[in-house]
Amino acid sequence: MPGLLLDTLNGKRGTSVPLWLMRQAGRYLPEYRALREERGGFLAMAYDSEAACEITLQPIDRFGFDGAILFSDILIVPHAIGQHLEFLAGEGPKLSPRLVDVALDALTRDPSRYEPIYETVRLCRQRLPETVTMLGFAGSPWTVATYMVAGEGSRDQHEARALSYRDPAKLDAILQRIVTETIEYLSGQIEAGAEAVQLFDSWAGSLAPDEFERLVIAPNAAIVAALRERHPATPVIGFPKGAGEKLPAYARETGVQAVGVDETLDPNWVARELPAGMPVQGNFDPLLLLAGSDRLESRARDVLEAFADRPHVFNLGHGIDRRTPIGHVERLIATVRGFKG
Ligand code: CP3
């Protein structure tokens, strides 16, 4: 029994809509905060398969979501490529050496970093109810490259964007390397039990149109093609956050089976512009979930109605904010579960 989420990603549309939330395993949950107090840092927990599996299952146990997303981070890939990685309290991730300063071949690969992540997937798949879909993920090459190049996060990804114009061959080599790693990493997750995988392009929105084609569409298409060949039955969800008017081109040209949509797009426009029958995931505003105003229910129903004519996975337009009250999440779930499309 594959379950409602996997069926939907495979193109089926019924009356019930499956639901999961990006970052559903995280700090808005008191049980996550308690485990983190006890275990220490984020990265140590991501590499501790037992702890990571427990965290992955927390939102399933509490809310009964249709999908369980692996508890991990997009920066595992740079770590395995050979950058030093730490999360500094209040400052975010730091990667060194930064690729603005050194060439790729200054880094020594350590694929053993992937092993505990695969083990987390195996443990979760064993422990999850059969109808709950186990979701793997990776960051998309452009988004991951922005951190590898700058060594940290930034508001506008200027280091990587400038490198793309100053030394395109260097950035292309970095992207190519991330493509190769990501194919291996996602294949490993699928072999360990992930039933669908999501490519997160959190910074797809910062690019000029010709750059979008080269830095977002082409590398994601290469990953999807390789995964399709190795694991033809496993759906890939592409989430190009901030893609805006470029979303339809992304959906057509990358080969992804399903497309994630952020909250800035009108779902009625998305429903008109995407290929008929293509599964869509999204796109409820995480800030409306945080605020919990009386528009929460009506807006959720607007999203459900807009996508009623195609396979739809209900989700947020980006990760759940860590200050979100549990009661607001319960209201959202009740609205989605109560909808018959
Ligand atoms: O839905 C998912 O859980 C998807 C997986 C995912 C996570 N982070 C899990 C996570 C994805 C796609 C990310 C993206 C990510 N992670 C980015 C890109 C920008 C974005 O927001 O999309 C960046 C810069 C990171 C690095 C990162 N990870 C930071 C700065 C932190 C917070 C530091 C800390 O000490 O907690 C994380 C932690 C993190 N990543 C959590 C999860 C579920 C833990 C808890 C939480 O923040 O609620």
Side-chain angles (χ1 to χ4, degrees):
M1 247 206 313
L4 188 58
L5 173 53
L6 199 56
D7 279 348
T8 304
L9 294 174
N10 280 319
K12 293 199 188 120
R13 171 76 210 197
T15 53
S16 301
V17 172
L19 156 82
W20 68 279
L21 304 180
M22 291 188 276
R23 306 277 178 91
Q24 66 190 18
R27 272 184 286 191
Y28 74 107
L29 288 175
E31 55 271 36
Y32 172 82
R33 295 194 299 267
L35 198 70
R36 184 155 170 169
E37 280 283 292
E38 189 190 307
R39 297 297 176 96
F42 167 77
L43 198 58
M45 293 199 307
Y47 281 127
D48 175 342
S49 308
E50 273 294 338
C53 176
E54 185 178 336
I55 296 165
T56 302
L57 302 187
Q58 282 175 346
I60 311 304
D61 294 342
R62 183 188 269 271
F63 299 118
F65 289 126
D66 297 286
I69 183 135
L70 165 69
F71 177 77
S72 180
D73 197 76
I74 62 168
L75 300 177
I76 299 298
V77 165
H79 206 197
I81 291 176
Q83 282 181 310
H84 180 71
L85 170 64
E86 32 179 3
F87 285 84
L88 300 178
E91 281 187 59
K94 300 281 173 202
L95 294 154
S96 59
R98 335 182 288 163
L99 294 180
V100 262
D101 300 326
V102 302
L104 250 185
D105 60 17
L107 305 178
T108 307
R109 189 169 183 259
D110 181 3
S112 72
R113 299 272 181 213
Y114 297 140
E115 295 301 329
I117 312 296
Y118 301 154
E119 180 59 15
T120 306
V121 175
R122 268 190 291 275
L123 290 174
C124 290
R125 187 53 279 170
Q126 281 164 17
R127 293 174 193 175
L128 279 169
E130 220 183 303
T131 53
V132 177
T133 302
M134 182 64 207
L135 299 165
F137 76 91
S140 280
W142 163 246
T143 290
V144 172
T146 65
Y147 295 95
M148 294 191 74
V149 168
E152 59 190 3
S154 64
R155 207 160 20 84
D156 57 1
Q157 299 80 50
H158 57 273
E159 295 282 8
R161 283 164 60 203
L163 181 65
S164 167
Y165 292 120
R166 202 172 56 235
D167 190 350
K170 180 168 178 175
L171 185 64
D172 284 340
I174 294 169
L175 290 171
Q176 185 48 54
R177 184 59 196 284
I178 302 169
V179 165
T180 309
E181 288 291 328
T182 304
I183 293 165
E184 172 179 332
Y185 182 44
L186 290 177
S187 295
Q189 293 181 30
I190 293 166
E191 283 150 27
E195 298 161 278
V197 294
Q198 178 155 325
L199 285 164
F200 283 84
D201 225 339
S202 303
W203 305 128
S206 59
L207 296 168
D210 49 340
E211 293 283 282
F212 186 84
E213 184 68 39
R214 175 173 140 252
L215 306 179
V216 172
I217 293 185
N220 283 301
I223 294 170
V224 174
L227 290 176
R228 185 69 53 82
E229 199 154 305
R230 291 199 204 177
H231 302 285
T234 308
V236 180
I237 308 162
F239 176 47
K241 184 174 181 298
E245 66 189 13
K246 302 174 204 115
L247 187 76
Y250 176 96
R252 284 192 307 270
E253 294 169 28
T254 54
V256 294
Q257 277 85 353
V259 62
V261 181
D262 69 67
E263 71 276 10
T264 64
L265 291 175
D266 176 351
N268 294 293
W269 178 84
V270 174
R272 281 196 304 275
E273 295 295 326
L274 289 187
M278 185 172 198
V280 58
Q281 176 174 284
N283 74 335
F284 190 83
D285 190 344
L287 270 298
L288 177 50
L289 184 61
L290 169 70
S293 86
D294 55 10
R295 284 162 63 199
L296 189 154
E297 283 80 6
S298 64
R299 187 63 199 153
R301 278 192 291 271
D302 288 346
V303 171
L304 287 158
E305 295 286 358
F307 294 132
D309 288 338
R310 63 171 69 236
H312 176 212
V313 175
F314 194 93
N315 206 318
L316 304 177
H318 190 47
I320 184 168
D321 186 283
R322 64 181 165 120
R323 295 156 298 182
T324 305
I326 299 290
H328 297 180
V329 179
E330 288 168 345
R331 282 170 56 196
L332 185 67
I333 293 171
T335 307
V336 178
R337 296 287 185 226
F339 178 81
K340 295 288 166 236

Short mmCIF file of all heavy atoms in Angstrom, two decimals, residues 169-229:
data_model
loop_
_atom_site.label_atom_id
_atom_site.label_comp_id
_atom_site.label_asym_id
_atom_site.label_seq_id
_atom_site.Cartn_x
_atom_site.Cartn_y
_atom_site.Cartn_z
N ALA A 169 33.68 29.49 -15.58
CA ALA A 169 34.19 28.11 -15.64
C ALA A 169 34.37 27.56 -14.22
O ALA A 169 34.09 26.38 -13.96
CB ALA A 169 35.52 28.07 -16.40
N LYS A 170 34.79 28.42 -13.31
CA LYS A 170 34.97 27.95 -11.92
C LYS A 170 33.63 27.59 -11.29
O LYS A 170 33.48 26.54 -10.67
CB LYS A 170 35.70 29.01 -11.08
CG LYS A 170 35.91 28.55 -9.64
CD LYS A 170 36.86 29.44 -8.86
CE LYS A 170 36.97 28.94 -7.41
NZ LYS A 170 37.95 29.68 -6.62
N LEU A 171 32.64 28.46 -11.48
CA LEU A 171 31.33 28.15 -10.89
C LEU A 171 30.72 26.91 -11.54
O LEU A 171 30.15 26.06 -10.87
CB LEU A 171 30.37 29.34 -10.99
CG LEU A 171 29.04 29.07 -10.28
CD1 LEU A 171 29.22 28.88 -8.77
CD2 LEU A 171 28.03 30.17 -10.53
N ASP A 172 30.89 26.78 -12.87
CA ASP A 172 30.34 25.59 -13.55
C ASP A 172 30.98 24.31 -13.01
O ASP A 172 30.30 23.30 -12.84
CB ASP A 172 30.56 25.69 -15.07
CG ASP A 172 29.57 26.67 -15.72
OD1 ASP A 172 28.53 26.97 -15.10
OD2 ASP A 172 29.85 27.14 -16.84
N ALA A 173 32.28 24.36 -12.73
CA ALA A 173 32.95 23.17 -12.18
C ALA A 173 32.42 22.83 -10.79
O ALA A 173 32.22 21.66 -10.45
CB ALA A 173 34.46 23.39 -12.14
N ILE A 174 32.16 23.87 -10.00
CA ILE A 174 31.59 23.64 -8.66
C ILE A 174 30.21 23.00 -8.78
O ILE A 174 29.89 22.02 -8.11
CB ILE A 174 31.54 24.97 -7.87
CG1 ILE A 174 32.96 25.48 -7.59
CG2 ILE A 174 30.76 24.80 -6.56
CD1 ILE A 174 33.02 26.92 -7.06
N LEU A 175 29.39 23.56 -9.69
CA LEU A 175 28.03 23.02 -9.86
C LEU A 175 28.09 21.57 -10.35
O LEU A 175 27.34 20.71 -9.88
CB LEU A 175 27.24 23.86 -10.87
CG LEU A 175 26.86 25.26 -10.38
CD1 LEU A 175 26.28 26.09 -11.54
CD2 LEU A 175 25.84 25.19 -9.24
N GLN A 176 29.00 21.32 -11.29
CA GLN A 176 29.12 19.96 -11.83
C GLN A 176 29.49 18.97 -10.72
O GLN A 176 28.97 17.86 -10.64
CB GLN A 176 30.17 19.93 -12.96
CG GLN A 176 30.28 18.59 -13.66
CD GLN A 176 28.91 18.01 -14.05
OE1 GLN A 176 28.11 18.66 -14.73
NE2 GLN A 176 28.61 16.79 -13.58
N ARG A 177 30.38 19.42 -9.86
CA ARG A 177 30.79 18.56 -8.74
C ARG A 177 29.62 18.28 -7.79
O ARG A 177 29.40 17.15 -7.34
CB ARG A 177 31.93 19.27 -7.99
CG ARG A 177 32.52 18.49 -6.89
CD ARG A 177 33.08 17.17 -7.42
NE ARG A 177 33.29 16.29 -6.28
CZ ARG A 177 34.30 16.42 -5.44
NH1 ARG A 177 35.23 17.32 -5.65
NH2 ARG A 177 34.39 15.62 -4.41
N ILE A 178 28.83 19.30 -7.52
CA ILE A 178 27.67 19.11 -6.63
C ILE A 178 26.64 18.21 -7.31
O ILE A 178 26.01 17.37 -6.66
CB ILE A 178 27.05 20.47 -6.22
CG1 ILE A 178 28.10 21.34 -5.51
CG2 ILE A 178 25.85 20.27 -5.30
CD1 ILE A 178 27.68 22.79 -5.29
N VAL A 179 26.49 18.34 -8.64
CA VAL A 179 25.57 17.46 -9.38
C VAL A 179 25.98 16.00 -9.17
O VAL A 179 25.16 15.15 -8.79
CB VAL A 179 25.56 17.81 -10.89
CG1 VAL A 179 24.91 16.70 -11.71
CG2 VAL A 179 24.82 19.13 -11.13
N THR A 180 27.26 15.71 -9.37
CA THR A 180 27.75 14.33 -9.25
C THR A 180 27.53 13.79 -7.83
O THR A 180 27.06 12.67 -7.65
CB THR A 180 29.27 14.29 -9.58
OG1 THR A 180 29.45 14.95 -10.83
CG2 THR A 180 29.78 12.88 -9.67
N GLU A 181 27.87 14.62 -6.84
CA GLU A 181 27.69 14.19 -5.44
C GLU A 181 26.21 13.96 -5.12
O GLU A 181 25.86 13.02 -4.41
CB GLU A 181 28.18 15.28 -4.48
CG GLU A 181 29.65 15.46 -4.40
CD GLU A 181 30.40 14.30 -3.75
OE1 GLU A 181 29.86 13.63 -2.84
OE2 GLU A 181 31.54 14.07 -4.15
N THR A 182 25.37 14.85 -5.62
CA THR A 182 23.95 14.79 -5.28
C THR A 182 23.29 13.56 -5.90
O THR A 182 22.41 12.94 -5.28
CB THR A 182 23.25 16.09 -5.72
OG1 THR A 182 23.93 17.19 -5.10
CG2 THR A 182 21.79 16.13 -5.30
N ILE A 183 23.74 13.19 -7.10
CA ILE A 183 23.22 11.96 -7.72
C ILE A 183 23.57 10.76 -6.83
O ILE A 183 22.72 9.92 -6.52
CB ILE A 183 23.78 11.78 -9.14
CG1 ILE A 183 23.24 12.88 -10.07
CG2 ILE A 183 23.46 10.38 -9.69
CD1 ILE A 183 23.98 13.02 -11.38
N GLU A 184 24.81 10.72 -6.38
CA GLU A 184 25.21 9.60 -5.52
C GLU A 184 24.44 9.63 -4.18
O GLU A 184 23.94 8.60 -3.70
CB GLU A 184 26.72 9.66 -5.24
CG GLU A 184 27.10 8.62 -4.20
CD GLU A 184 28.59 8.59 -3.86
OE1 GLU A 184 29.41 8.96 -4.71
OE2 GLU A 184 28.89 8.17 -2.73
N TYR A 185 24.37 10.82 -3.59
CA TYR A 185 23.75 10.97 -2.27
C TYR A 185 22.26 10.61 -2.31
O TYR A 185 21.75 9.88 -1.46
CB TYR A 185 23.97 12.41 -1.82
CG TYR A 185 23.46 12.78 -0.47
CD1 TYR A 185 23.65 11.97 0.64
CD2 TYR A 185 22.80 14.00 -0.29
CE1 TYR A 185 23.18 12.36 1.90
CE2 TYR A 185 22.34 14.39 0.97
CZ TYR A 185 22.53 13.56 2.04
OH TYR A 185 22.08 13.95 3.28
N LEU A 186 21.55 11.10 -3.33
CA LEU A 186 20.12 10.79 -3.41
C LEU A 186 19.89 9.34 -3.78
O LEU A 186 18.96 8.69 -3.28
CB LEU A 186 19.40 11.73 -4.38
CG LEU A 186 19.29 13.19 -3.89
CD1 LEU A 186 18.63 14.06 -4.95
CD2 LEU A 186 18.48 13.28 -2.58
N SER A 187 20.76 8.77 -4.63
CA SER A 187 20.64 7.34 -4.95
C SER A 187 20.82 6.53 -3.67
O SER A 187 20.09 5.56 -3.43
CB SER A 187 21.70 6.90 -5.96
OG SER A 187 21.48 7.54 -7.19
N GLY A 188 21.78 6.92 -2.84
CA GLY A 188 22.00 6.23 -1.56
C GLY A 188 20.78 6.32 -0.66
O GLY A 188 20.40 5.34 -0.01
N GLN A 189 20.15 7.48 -0.62
CA GLN A 189 18.94 7.63 0.20
C GLN A 189 17.81 6.75 -0.34
O GLN A 189 17.08 6.11 0.43
CB GLN A 189 18.49 9.10 0.22
CG GLN A 189 19.45 10.03 0.95
CD GLN A 189 18.94 11.47 0.98
OE1 GLN A 189 17.74 11.73 0.98
NE2 GLN A 189 19.85 12.41 1.00
N ILE A 190 17.69 6.70 -1.66
CA ILE A 190 16.62 5.88 -2.27
C ILE A 190 16.89 4.40 -1.98
O ILE A 190 15.99 3.65 -1.59
CB ILE A 190 16.52 6.16 -3.79
CG1 ILE A 190 16.03 7.60 -4.02
CG2 ILE A 190 15.61 5.14 -4.47
CD1 ILE A 190 16.21 8.11 -5.45
N GLU A 191 18.16 3.99 -2.12
CA GLU A 191 18.49 2.58 -1.85
C GLU A 191 18.26 2.24 -0.37
O GLU A 191 17.97 1.10 -0.02
CB GLU A 191 19.92 2.29 -2.31
CG GLU A 191 19.96 2.13 -3.83
CD GLU A 191 21.28 2.54 -4.48
OE1 GLU A 191 22.33 2.46 -3.79
OE2 GLU A 191 21.26 2.93 -5.66
N ALA A 192 18.37 3.24 0.50
CA ALA A 192 18.14 3.01 1.94
C ALA A 192 16.64 3.04 2.29
O ALA A 192 16.29 2.72 3.42
CB ALA A 192 18.89 4.06 2.76
N GLY A 193 15.79 3.45 1.35
CA GLY A 193 14.35 3.41 1.64
C GLY A 193 13.57 4.69 1.38
O GLY A 193 12.36 4.72 1.65
N ALA A 194 14.22 5.73 0.88
CA ALA A 194 13.46 6.94 0.54
C ALA A 194 12.58 6.64 -0.67
O ALA A 194 13.06 6.10 -1.67
CB ALA A 194 14.38 8.12 0.24
N GLU A 195 11.29 6.99 -0.59
CA GLU A 195 10.34 6.63 -1.65
C GLU A 195 10.09 7.77 -2.63
O GLU A 195 9.52 7.58 -3.70
CB GLU A 195 9.01 6.21 -1.02
CG GLU A 195 9.18 4.99 -0.14
CD GLU A 195 8.04 4.84 0.84
OE1 GLU A 195 8.06 5.51 1.90
OE2 GLU A 195 7.12 4.10 0.53
N ALA A 196 10.52 8.97 -2.24
CA ALA A 196 10.50 10.14 -3.13
C ALA A 196 11.58 11.06 -2.59
O ALA A 196 11.96 10.95 -1.41
CB ALA A 196 9.14 10.83 -3.10
N VAL A 197 12.11 11.93 -3.44
CA VAL A 197 13.14 12.86 -2.97
C VAL A 197 12.81 14.27 -3.43
O VAL A 197 12.18 14.46 -4.48
CB VAL A 197 14.56 12.47 -3.46
CG1 VAL A 197 14.99 11.15 -2.85
CG2 VAL A 197 14.67 12.43 -4.96
N GLN A 198 13.22 15.26 -2.63
CA GLN A 198 12.98 16.65 -2.99
C GLN A 198 14.31 17.38 -3.16
O GLN A 198 15.21 17.25 -2.33
CB GLN A 198 12.13 17.33 -1.92
CG GLN A 198 11.90 18.82 -2.22
CD GLN A 198 10.64 19.39 -1.59
OE1 GLN A 198 9.61 18.70 -1.48
NE2 GLN A 198 10.70 20.65 -1.18
N LEU A 199 14.39 18.17 -4.23
CA LEU A 199 15.54 19.05 -4.47
C LEU A 199 15.14 20.46 -4.04
O LEU A 199 14.21 21.05 -4.63
CB LEU A 199 15.90 19.04 -5.96
CG LEU A 199 16.63 17.77 -6.43
CD1 LEU A 199 16.60 17.66 -7.96
CD2 LEU A 199 18.07 17.78 -5.92
N PHE A 200 15.82 20.98 -3.01
CA PHE A 200 15.50 22.30 -2.47
C PHE A 200 16.41 23.35 -3.10
O PHE A 200 17.61 23.35 -2.84
CB PHE A 200 15.74 22.33 -0.96
CG PHE A 200 14.69 21.66 -0.13
CD1 PHE A 200 14.73 20.29 0.09
CD2 PHE A 200 13.67 22.39 0.46
CE1 PHE A 200 13.77 19.66 0.88
CE2 PHE A 200 12.71 21.77 1.26
CZ PHE A 200 12.76 20.40 1.47
N ASP A 201 15.81 24.24 -3.90
CA ASP A 201 16.59 25.35 -4.45
C ASP A 201 16.14 26.64 -3.76
O ASP A 201 15.42 27.46 -4.34
CB ASP A 201 16.47 25.43 -5.97
CG ASP A 201 17.83 25.65 -6.63
OD1 ASP A 201 18.75 26.12 -5.92
OD2 ASP A 201 17.98 25.37 -7.83
N SER A 202 16.56 26.81 -2.51
CA SER A 202 16.08 27.92 -1.69
C SER A 202 16.38 29.28 -2.28
O SER A 202 15.67 30.24 -2.04
CB SER A 202 16.70 27.83 -0.29
OG SER A 202 16.43 26.59 0.30
N TRP A 203 17.48 29.36 -3.07
CA TRP A 203 17.90 30.66 -3.62
C TRP A 203 17.75 30.76 -5.13
O TRP A 203 18.41 31.56 -5.78
CB TRP A 203 19.33 30.99 -3.19
CG TRP A 203 19.51 30.95 -1.70
CD1 TRP A 203 20.47 30.25 -1.03
CD2 TRP A 203 18.72 31.60 -0.69
NE1 TRP A 203 20.31 30.42 0.34
CE2 TRP A 203 19.25 31.26 0.57
CE3 TRP A 203 17.60 32.45 -0.72
CZ2 TRP A 203 18.71 31.71 1.77
CZ3 TRP A 203 17.07 32.89 0.47
CH2 TRP A 203 17.62 32.53 1.69
N ALA A 204 16.82 29.97 -5.68
CA ALA A 204 16.57 30.04 -7.13
C ALA A 204 16.06 31.42 -7.53
O ALA A 204 16.14 31.82 -8.69
CB ALA A 204 15.56 28.97 -7.54
N GLY A 205 15.53 32.17 -6.57
CA GLY A 205 14.89 33.44 -6.88
C GLY A 205 15.83 34.61 -7.07
O GLY A 205 15.39 35.70 -7.40
N SER A 206 17.13 34.40 -6.89
CA SER A 206 18.03 35.56 -6.93
C SER A 206 18.71 35.76 -8.28
O SER A 206 19.63 36.56 -8.38
CB SER A 206 19.10 35.42 -5.83
OG SER A 206 19.85 34.24 -6.01
N LEU A 207 18.26 35.03 -9.31
CA LEU A 207 19.02 35.02 -10.56
C LEU A 207 18.34 35.72 -11.73
O LEU A 207 17.11 35.65 -11.87
CB LEU A 207 19.31 33.57 -10.95
CG LEU A 207 20.20 32.82 -9.97
CD1 LEU A 207 20.20 31.33 -10.27
CD2 LEU A 207 21.61 33.38 -10.00
N ALA A 208 19.16 36.31 -12.59
CA ALA A 208 18.69 36.85 -13.86
C ALA A 208 18.25 35.69 -14.76
O ALA A 208 18.72 34.57 -14.58
CB ALA A 208 19.81 37.65 -14.53
N PRO A 209 17.34 35.96 -15.75
CA PRO A 209 16.74 34.85 -16.51
C PRO A 209 17.74 33.92 -17.20
O PRO A 209 17.58 32.70 -17.14
CB PRO A 209 15.86 35.56 -17.54
CG PRO A 209 15.59 36.90 -16.96
CD PRO A 209 16.75 37.25 -16.08
N ASP A 210 18.78 34.47 -17.85
CA ASP A 210 19.72 33.56 -18.54
C ASP A 210 20.56 32.78 -17.52
O ASP A 210 20.93 31.63 -17.76
CB ASP A 210 20.61 34.33 -19.54
CG ASP A 210 21.25 35.57 -18.93
OD1 ASP A 210 20.75 36.07 -17.90
OD2 ASP A 210 22.25 36.04 -19.49
N GLU A 211 20.81 33.38 -16.37
CA GLU A 211 21.52 32.68 -15.30
C GLU A 211 20.66 31.57 -14.71
O GLU A 211 21.17 30.53 -14.30
CB GLU A 211 21.91 33.68 -14.19
CG GLU A 211 22.93 34.71 -14.63
CD GLU A 211 24.33 34.11 -14.68
OE1 GLU A 211 24.95 33.96 -13.62
OE2 GLU A 211 24.77 33.79 -15.81
N PHE A 212 19.36 31.80 -14.66
CA PHE A 212 18.44 30.79 -14.12
C PHE A 212 18.51 29.51 -14.95
O PHE A 212 18.56 28.40 -14.43
CB PHE A 212 17.02 31.35 -14.11
CG PHE A 212 16.00 30.46 -13.44
CD1 PHE A 212 15.83 30.48 -12.07
CD2 PHE A 212 15.22 29.59 -14.20
CE1 PHE A 212 14.88 29.66 -11.45
CE2 PHE A 212 14.27 28.77 -13.60
CZ PHE A 212 14.11 28.80 -12.22
N GLU A 213 18.54 29.69 -16.25
CA GLU A 213 18.62 28.56 -17.16
C GLU A 213 19.89 27.74 -16.88
O GLU A 213 19.85 26.53 -16.73
CB GLU A 213 18.64 29.12 -18.60
CG GLU A 213 18.62 28.10 -19.70
CD GLU A 213 17.31 27.35 -19.79
OE1 GLU A 213 16.23 27.96 -19.60
OE2 GLU A 213 17.37 26.12 -20.03
N ARG A 214 21.02 28.44 -16.77
CA ARG A 214 22.31 27.76 -16.63
C ARG A 214 22.56 27.24 -15.21
O ARG A 214 23.11 26.15 -15.02
CB ARG A 214 23.40 28.78 -17.02
CG ARG A 214 24.80 28.29 -16.83
CD ARG A 214 25.83 29.29 -17.39
NE ARG A 214 26.95 29.35 -16.49
CZ ARG A 214 27.25 30.37 -15.69
NH1 ARG A 214 26.50 31.46 -15.69
NH2 ARG A 214 28.28 30.29 -14.90
N LEU A 215 22.14 27.99 -14.19
CA LEU A 215 22.51 27.65 -12.81
C LEU A 215 21.43 26.86 -12.08
O LEU A 215 21.73 26.13 -11.14
CB LEU A 215 22.84 28.92 -12.02
CG LEU A 215 23.91 29.83 -12.64
CD1 LEU A 215 24.13 31.07 -11.78
CD2 LEU A 215 25.22 29.08 -12.82
N VAL A 216 20.19 27.00 -12.51
CA VAL A 216 19.10 26.27 -11.84
C VAL A 216 18.59 25.13 -12.74
O VAL A 216 18.64 23.97 -12.34
CB VAL A 216 17.95 27.22 -11.43
CG1 VAL A 216 16.75 26.44 -10.92
CG2 VAL A 216 18.44 28.19 -10.35
N ILE A 217 18.11 25.46 -13.92
CA ILE A 217 17.46 24.41 -14.74
C ILE A 217 18.46 23.32 -15.14
O ILE A 217 18.20 22.13 -14.91
CB ILE A 217 16.75 25.03 -15.97
CG1 ILE A 217 15.57 25.88 -15.48
CG2 ILE A 217 16.27 23.91 -16.91
CD1 ILE A 217 14.69 26.46 -16.55
N ALA A 218 19.59 23.69 -15.70
CA ALA A 218 20.51 22.67 -16.23
C ALA A 218 21.03 21.70 -15.15
O ALA A 218 20.94 20.48 -15.34
CB ALA A 218 21.66 23.35 -16.99
N PRO A 219 21.53 22.18 -14.02
CA PRO A 219 22.02 21.21 -13.02
C PRO A 219 20.91 20.33 -12.43
O PRO A 219 21.12 19.14 -12.20
CB PRO A 219 22.64 22.09 -11.92
CG PRO A 219 22.74 23.46 -12.47
CD PRO A 219 21.81 23.57 -13.62
N ASN A 220 19.73 20.90 -12.20
CA ASN A 220 18.63 20.07 -11.68
C ASN A 220 18.22 19.03 -12.72
O ASN A 220 17.94 17.88 -12.38
CB ASN A 220 17.44 20.93 -11.28
CG ASN A 220 17.66 21.63 -9.94
OD1 ASN A 220 17.88 20.99 -8.93
ND2 ASN A 220 17.63 22.95 -9.94
N ALA A 221 18.21 19.43 -14.01
CA ALA A 221 17.85 18.49 -15.07
C ALA A 221 18.85 17.33 -15.12
O ALA A 221 18.46 16.17 -15.32
CB ALA A 221 17.79 19.20 -16.42
N ALA A 222 20.13 17.63 -14.91
CA ALA A 222 21.15 16.56 -14.94
C ALA A 222 20.93 15.57 -13.80
O ALA A 222 21.05 14.35 -13.98
CB ALA A 222 22.54 17.19 -14.85
N ILE A 223 20.58 16.08 -12.63
CA ILE A 223 20.32 15.19 -11.48
C ILE A 223 19.09 14.33 -11.75
O ILE A 223 19.10 13.11 -11.56
CB ILE A 223 20.14 16.01 -10.18
CG1 ILE A 223 21.45 16.71 -9.81
CG2 ILE A 223 19.66 15.12 -9.03
CD1 ILE A 223 21.32 17.74 -8.69
N VAL A 224 18.03 14.97 -12.22
CA VAL A 224 16.78 14.23 -12.46
C VAL A 224 17.00 13.15 -13.52
O VAL A 224 16.54 12.00 -13.34
CB VAL A 224 15.64 15.20 -12.89
CG1 VAL A 224 14.40 14.42 -13.29
CG2 VAL A 224 15.32 16.18 -11.77
N ALA A 225 17.74 13.47 -14.58
CA ALA A 225 17.96 12.47 -15.64
C ALA A 225 18.71 11.26 -15.09
O ALA A 225 18.36 10.11 -15.37
CB ALA A 225 18.72 13.11 -16.80
N ALA A 226 19.74 11.51 -14.29
CA ALA A 226 20.52 10.39 -13.74
C ALA A 226 19.69 9.56 -12.76
O ALA A 226 19.77 8.33 -12.76
CB ALA A 226 21.78 10.92 -13.06
N LEU A 227 18.90 10.22 -11.94
CA LEU A 227 18.07 9.47 -10.99
C LEU A 227 16.99 8.67 -11.72
O LEU A 227 16.67 7.55 -11.34
CB LEU A 227 17.41 10.42 -9.97
CG LEU A 227 18.36 11.07 -8.96
CD1 LEU A 227 17.59 12.05 -8.08
CD2 LEU A 227 19.06 10.03 -8.08
N ARG A 228 16.46 9.26 -12.79
CA ARG A 228 15.42 8.58 -13.57
C ARG A 228 15.97 7.27 -14.13
O ARG A 228 15.31 6.25 -14.18
CB ARG A 228 14.96 9.51 -14.70
CG ARG A 228 13.82 9.05 -15.54
CD ARG A 228 12.48 9.02 -14.82
NE ARG A 228 12.12 10.26 -14.15
CZ ARG A 228 11.58 11.31 -14.74
NH1 ARG A 228 11.32 11.32 -16.03
NH2 ARG A 228 11.26 12.38 -14.05
N GLU A 229 17.26 7.34 -14.54
CA GLU A 229 17.87 6.15 -15.10
C GLU A 229 18.11 5.08 -14.03
O GLU A 229 17.83 3.91 -14.23
CB GLU A 229 19.20 6.55 -15.74
CG GLU A 229 19.64 5.51 -16.70
CD GLU A 229 20.54 6.09 -17.77
OE1 GLU A 229 20.11 7.06 -18.44
OE2 GLU A 229 21.65 5.58 -17.91
#
